[in-house]
Amino acid sequence: MRIRVKFGKNPYSNNFACSHCGQRFDRGGFFLRIEYRGILVDIPICAECYATDALYEGMIDLTTHHSAHPIGRA
């Protein structure tokens, strides 16, 4: 089984919803993408949530696409 993971400072200028607070943002923050068998799960974090240096966690569903998979603080 192979899972592709892409993460780092948000490289895109798309309109995202933060996976933690739900705030809309279009730049900055952190971006995580998990890809498995053609299913994409994105976990964008806005700059304000990312600046808190919190540790986040969530149970990731790899059976369906998700553009802002909800996560909480660990």
Side-chain angles (χ1 to χ4, degrees):
M1 170 176 38
R2 295 179 71 178
I3 296 174
R4 180 180 299 210
V5 179
K6 181 188 291 188
F7 60 94
K9 290 183 180 178
N10 179 16
Y12 304 110
S13 59
N14 297 347
N15 190 12
F16 290 110
C18 178
S19 286
H20 179 67
C21 72
Q23 173 182 303
R24 290 262 178 221
F25 68 102
D26 62 359
R27 68 178 73 87
F30 183 82
F31 183 81
L32 171 65
R33 171 173 281 170
I34 302 169
E35 181 179 350
Y36 178 67
R37 295 188 176 183
I39 301 292
L40 298 175
V41 176
D42 292 338
I43 304 170
I45 303 294
C46 71
E48 289 79 13
C49 287
Y50 187 60
T52 65
D53 291 331
L55 181 62
Y56 298 96
E57 69 179 357
M59 294 299 295
I60 308 303
D61 179 3
L62 292 173
T63 63
T64 185
H65 291 293
H66 210 300
S67 62
H69 197 289
I71 59 166
R73 293 213 170 149

